[in-house]
Amino acid sequence: MQLQEIKGLGLTTIKYLNELGIYNVDDLINYYPFRYEILENTDPKDIQDQSKIIIGGLTENIPSVFHFNRKLNKMSFHLNTGNFIANVIIFNRAFLKPKLKIGTTITVIGKYDQKHNTITASDIKFGLINKTVIEPIYHSSFKISSSKISKLISKALPYVSITNYLPDSIINKYHFMDRKKAIQTVHNPKDKQTLNKALELLKYEELFTFMLKIGNLKNSQKKATGLSRIVPYDKIETFIGTLPFKLTKDQLKAVQNIYEDLTSSTKMNRLLQGDVGSGKTIVSFISLYINYLGGYQGALMAPTEILASQHYLNFTKLFPNLKVALLTGKLKAKEKKDIQAQIAAGTIDVIIGTHALISENSIYHNLGLVITDEQHRFGVAQRGNLKNKGLTPDILYMSATPIPRTYALTLYGDMDISSIRTMPSGRKPVKTYVKTSKEIKDVLYMMLDQIKAHHQIYVVAPLIEESDKIDLENIYQLEEKMQKAFGKICHIGIMHGKIKDTEKEQIMDKFKQNQIQILISTTVIEVGVDVANATMIVIFDSYRFGLSALHQLRGRVGRNNLDSYCILISDKETQRLNVLTKTNDGFKVSEEDFKLRGGGDIFGLRQSGDMNFKLANIKNDYQLLLKAKEDSSNFLKSPEYNLEKYNYLKNQINNSVNLD
Ligand code: ADP
Ligand code: MG
């Protein structure tokens, strides 16, 4: 059903919803909250410095508003809580000013700063809160707020019929809540218990569907026959001998695994996992070379244009005699057509590009190998998207997020795995320190040392998605501070998700060419970007990240033989963060990440791909995942699977495997 069919939903709103990936009513009601705000008045006794606070009171004066620019503003006023009077500041709510007359009863939600007796509010509600309210929080945008989305969903719910799609046997086995009630509940929870019950069903659904896809891929994998190539291993050894460095033991082992896959008649479906900087790229290049010697075209897909161009440059340097094409969004329509024609004619040996372009109706001449870099960013659904003339290419996935073996076996159950655990020699571990915000001066001095040594620095300011307005504010404040400290001696760049792609690339290029020495960014620093002269990364509010995510970020530095540093600034959870000061081994870090409760999502940075479940979390819901694994495998084998009423599930699975 189309969004237009909902009464009172205008085209502008629809456009904003589209920007969030919501295109129809189903998308809308399946747009689950990513967390809940439990609203209970804070007991005045529990009010502490820097703690979260929810408190009601009367406004004491007329708010004053300060405009930074067209988009950013800051409003402040006094709130009388009955016990004390506090300053309240709130960003980007200037539009509330007319309603905030003196003596208005409101509830303020925010963070309390004792020294300044100030509440930095994230929200203001009119009236008092009398009982516990559970408020769903949705990923929102500048243009459409979480509460607006909530209202739209309530509006849309009566329009749709919601039916169970899990097998009956499973619903009965776990006494799951009815799907319709579950969907209503997650969007409009009345109490925690019912909410948990609803979440249980929806999480299970995600995990079950995912495991069903994996199980199905595994089955089709067994049946598929691959291409067997005749390639003498000497040639590979000769090439390896020409490299400026010696491959590590694990790199060699991975090359051998891949060589065996490519020269045998079983189809390759392999995951190459290894820490950032462990040297996966060269292994992928050698794989492309083996495939080329075997007489087939190969494709390397990168998640971003920046990475694609980086791979292209490196590859053409190593293999000047191969015909290589770079396929990215920057190409003009005609250039793209030309390249595609050459690919189809078979005059191109290796195609390097972004995922979208490589899979977009390119017709290959004889595609034999497909490699996806940073595979965790792509979903299972995309694993099978490549169209080719009757060939089933061998597939290699690369991931820089090592995950513990038990999880790998479950999540990548359909694949063989090669792991690179040893780092290239000569690599120095990144020296990691945890600092509190009070120690910022030390940090600035450490930065100064790096600048003086003509090195470059990443500064990361994490962005919470629900309130990116405030965070943008933060990142500009941070820029101001950095300008004050270093503006005279170096160039400072700033990058965040709201900057256009073309501009991002320009900034990244400048950083690469050392025209920018300090790059302030949210976590949009591209995975895999290689700027060897960057020797320091400073991460603010680092407690907001999981250890693996921090480890990934840390991997941006330490890419040569210089001493490099990672500074984690945090006033909380310093003990957890200390794990990173003790090890530079991504496998160990991810084990710790799994062991520690409550911290971070294993794949770290936000990403698309099926493993980025809307509700389920692989770590916290691991038991549920194991159930879903077993149940889905039984279901695949049972006669129930063939019933017409499970077509919805089947379609989901089939969308993910059409390698023909
Ligand atoms: P990642 O695994 O993160 O993709 P890269 O492949 O980008 O890592 O490798 C990081 C850097 O290490 C590259 O500059 C690469 O040339 C270099 N490198 C790779 N293998 C070795 C090795 N065996 N010895 C020394 N340097 C290596
Ligand atoms: Mg890489």
Side-chain angles (χ1 to χ4, degrees):
M1 189 176 150
Q2 296 310 305
L3 290 165
Q4 290 90 297
E5 295 173 50
I6 298 179
K7 258 209 199 112
L9 197 55
L11 285 178
T12 320
T13 310
I14 291 179
K15 198 177 115 216
Y16 297 160
L17 288 174
N18 290 169
E19 285 168 13
L20 292 171
I22 301 169
Y23 296 98
N24 55 45
V25 178
D26 273 334
D27 291 345
L28 184 60
I29 63 156
N30 291 317
Y31 196 77
Y32 305 139
F34 73 99
R35 66 177 190 84
Y36 293 89
E37 183 98 75
I38 313 262
L39 299 180
E40 275 166 333
N41 288 311
T42 311
D43 187 326
K45 286 200 301 292
D46 295 338
I47 298 175
Q48 282 169 6
D49 188 28
Q50 303 305 328
S51 69
K52 193 185 155 187
I53 177 170
I54 299 179
I55 196 154
L58 299 176
T59 55
E60 280 267 316
N61 59 352
I62 295 175
S64 56
V65 172
F66 176 75
H67 288 272
F68 296 92
N69 57 35
R70 225 158 43 90
K71 280 186 177 153
L72 297 174
N73 58 68
K74 174 170 145 183
M75 179 163 74
S76 54
F77 58 88
H78 295 161
L79 179 78
N80 188 340
T81 69
N83 289 314
F84 64 102
I85 298 179
N87 304 312
V88 176
I89 54 175
I90 185 160
F91 289 99
N92 300 315
R93 301 291 165 88
F95 60 87
L96 290 178
K97 182 176 167 171
K99 285 169 120 183
L100 290 170
K101 299 202 173 68
I102 296 177
T104 310
T105 312
I106 58 170
T107 298
V108 170
I109 300 156
K111 194 164 111 177
Y112 183 64
D113 180 273
Q114 195 160 26
K115 192 167 138 214
H116 302 99
N117 185 32
T118 295
I119 304 171
T120 305
S122 57
D123 202 6
I124 291 178
K125 300 201 178 293
F126 288 91
L128 297 175
I129 294 177
N130 299 318
K131 60 174 174 48
T132 306
V133 177
I134 306 178
E135 191 183 349
I137 310 288
Y138 298 89
H139 284 303
S140 56
S141 70
F142 263 120
K143 295 167 189 157
I144 189 159
S145 67
S146 172
S147 60
K148 175 90 197 236
I149 294 171
S150 173
K151 285 192 192 106
L152 291 174
I153 292 174
S154 301
K155 221 175 195 180
L157 274 169
Y159 285 82
V160 281
S161 71
I162 300 167
T163 48
N164 285 321
Y165 65 78
L166 287 177
D168 296 336
S169 51
I170 286 170
I171 307 244
N172 296 336
K173 179 169 163 193
Y174 297 112
H175 308 290
F176 277 137
M177 185 186 272
D178 173 60
R179 181 157 211 272
K180 184 169 180 179
K181 184 171 175 209
I183 297 268
Q184 283 165 346
T185 304
V186 289
H187 290 304
N188 195 359
K190 296 282 178 275
D191 61 85
K192 287 186 202 169
Q193 210 183 354
T194 324
L195 174 59
N196 283 337
K197 197 86 182 110
L199 287 173
E200 189 189 17
L201 169 77
L202 299 178
K203 283 178 180 179
Y204 180 89
E205 278 181 353
E206 289 183 329
L207 296 169
F208 181 84
T209 315
F210 177 76
M211 287 316 303
L212 204 56
K213 286 182 195 173
I214 297 277
N216 195 61
L217 277 171
K218 200 170 174 175
N219 289 347
S220 60
Q221 197 60 35
K222 275 191 212 137
K223 281 179 234 144
T225 44
L227 315 164
S228 56
R229 304 157 180 80
I230 298 174
V231 181
Y233 196 70
D234 311 355
K235 285 205 175 172
I236 311 306
E237 275 182 329
T238 310
F239 171 75
I240 291 174
T242 66
L243 288 173
F245 46 73
K246 218 171 146 252
L247 289 189
T248 61
K249 192 170 107 281
D250 289 347
Q251 282 175 317
L252 259 182
K253 176 86 189 145
V255 168
Q256 279 158 2
N257 288 153
I258 293 164
Y259 173 83
E260 276 158 31
D261 287 348
L262 293 181
T263 49
S264 81
S265 64
T266 44
K267 188 170 148 346
M268 177 166 78
N269 192 35
R270 182 172 290 279
L271 172 74
L272 175 61
Q273 62 168 352
D275 231 330
V276 250
S278 62
K280 295 182 295 295
T281 313
I282 187 66
V283 174
S284 73
F285 286 3
I286 296 171
S287 313
L288 287 167
Y289 184 53
I290 300 171
N291 176 60
Y292 159 79
L293 293 175
Y296 292 100
Q297 284 178 322
L300 173 59
M301 313 200 273
T304 66
E305 308 230 328
I306 297 177
L307 274 178
S309 337
Q310 196 171 289
H311 286 330
Y312 174 79
L313 284 177
N314 291 333
F315 191 88
T316 45
K317 253 186 247 159
L318 281 176
F319 299 100
N321 297 328
L322 267 65
K323 296 208 186 54
V324 190
L326 175 65
L327 213 53
T328 73
K330 271 196 241 158
L331 292 178
K332 300 207 181 70
K334 184 170 175 307
E335 293 170 322
K336 191 165 128 190
K337 244 178 135 179
D338 280 354
I339 292 181
Q340 281 173 337
Q342 290 181 58
I343 294 173
T347 47
I348 294 207
D349 305 318
V350 170
I351 302 103
I352 297 178
T354 50
H355 183 281
L357 280 180
I358 286 193
S359 49
E360 173 194 296
N361 58 39
S362 296
I363 308 291
Y364 293 91
H365 179 66
N366 65 347
L367 185 66
L369 172 66
V370 178
I371 303 179
T372 65
D373 193 3
E374 310 301 352
Q375 100 78 216
H376 63 276
R377 288 199 166 197
F378 305 126
V380 181
Q382 284 146 314
R383 286 188 199 169
N385 266 345
L386 285 174
K387 292 271 186 295
N388 187 45
K389 287 180 188 158
L391 285 183
T392 43
D394 287 296
I395 301 193
L396 179 69
Y397 306 98
M398 299 198 283
S399 172
T401 314
I403 62 174
R405 207 178 146 69
T406 43
Y407 290 83
L409 287 177
T410 309
L411 298 172
Y412 298 110
D414 58 318
M415 299 185 209
D416 296 314
I417 300 178
S418 297
S419 301
I420 306 184
R421 287 178 149 270
T422 42
M423 295 295 258
S425 61
R427 206 57 67 69
K428 290 187 181 167
V430 179
K431 292 183 184 151
T432 304
Y433 303 94
V434 178
K435 296 274 179 191
T436 62
S437 54
K438 292 208 179 85
E439 296 169 293
I440 188 77
K441 245 194 177 153
D442 297 355
V443 178
L444 292 176
Y445 276 112
M446 292 170 89
M447 290 176 70
L448 184 62
D449 284 344
Q450 295 307 306
I451 302 283
K452 281 187 179 157
H454 305 289
H455 297 155
Q456 288 161 276
I457 304 175
Y458 294 102
V459 174
V460 180
L463 188 108
I464 341 175
E465 300 174 62
E466 62 170 295
S467 60
D468 37 23
K469 292 177 200 171
I470 296 181
D471 283 314
L472 268 193
E473 168 70 14
N474 284 345
I475 183 168
Y476 282 111
Q477 272 177 5
L478 192 59
E479 190 203 9
E480 215 177 291
K481 278 186 205 152
M482 291 293 153
Q483 283 292 359
K484 247 188 214 157
F486 303 111
K488 290 216 176 78
I489 55 169
C490 69
H491 293 283
I492 297 169
I494 186 162
M495 190 147 99
H496 53 74
K498 296 283 182 291
I499 290 179
K500 281 200 211 90
D501 282 352
T502 47
E503 214 175 309
K504 267 187 213 161
E505 267 176 59
Q506 283 169 5
I507 297 170
M508 219 45 237
D509 275 345
K510 277 192 178 168
F511 191 64
K512 271 190 196 165
Q513 288 156 23
N514 201 356
Q515 290 165 7
I516 288 176
Q517 287 75 39
I518 300 181
L519 180 65
I520 304 174
S521 86
T522 55
T523 52
V524 289
I525 318 175
E526 301 297 340
V527 182
V529 163
D530 202 9
V531 179
N533 191 46
T535 53
M536 180 178 267
I537 182 163
V538 180
I539 306 172
F540 280 84
D541 285 343
S542 35
Y543 69 89
R544 286 193 190 164
F545 293 107
L547 294 179
S548 295
L550 290 169
H551 179 68
Q552 283 261 353
L553 285 170
R554 170 167 72 174
R556 299 301 107 226
V557 300
R559 306 202 138 224
N560 50 30
N561 53 4
L562 299 167
D563 276 331
S564 45
Y565 305 87
C566 169
I567 317 291
L568 305 171
I569 300 182
S570 175
D571 295 333
K572 294 188 217 174
E573 300 181 34
T574 46
Q575 204 172 348
R576 176 172 72 91
L577 298 173
N578 265 327
V579 169
L580 290 168
T581 64
K582 292 182 194 115
T583 180
N584 262 276
D585 178 341
F587 284 90
K588 284 205 186 113
V589 171
S590 81
E591 301 267 353
E592 286 297 324
D593 221 356
F594 273 84
K595 262 191 244 157
L596 293 167
R597 273 169 39 81
D601 125 46
I602 56 160
F603 297 104
L605 314 178
R606 202 162 87 93
Q607 57 197 268
S608 52
D610 315 50
M611 269 182 244
N612 185 23
F613 301 110
K614 285 193 236 168
L615 295 170
N617 172 303
I618 297 163
K619 185 176 64 168
N620 299 339
D621 303 312
Y622 190 60
Q623 293 308 319
L624 203 58
L625 175 69
L626 290 182
K627 284 180 195 165
K629 183 185 181 189
E630 190 185 330
D631 295 338
S632 62
S633 143
N634 289 336
F635 178 61
L636 266 179
K637 284 181 258 170
S638 82
E640 208 185 351
Y641 179 64
N642 291 317
L643 295 179
E644 203 173 321
K645 67 179 185 185
Y646 299 122
N647 277 354
Y648 173 82
L649 269 177
K650 253 190 243 167
N651 283 338
Q652 292 225 333
I653 300 166
N654 290 335
N655 283 340
S656 66
V657 266
N658 53 356
L659 281 164
D660 48 13

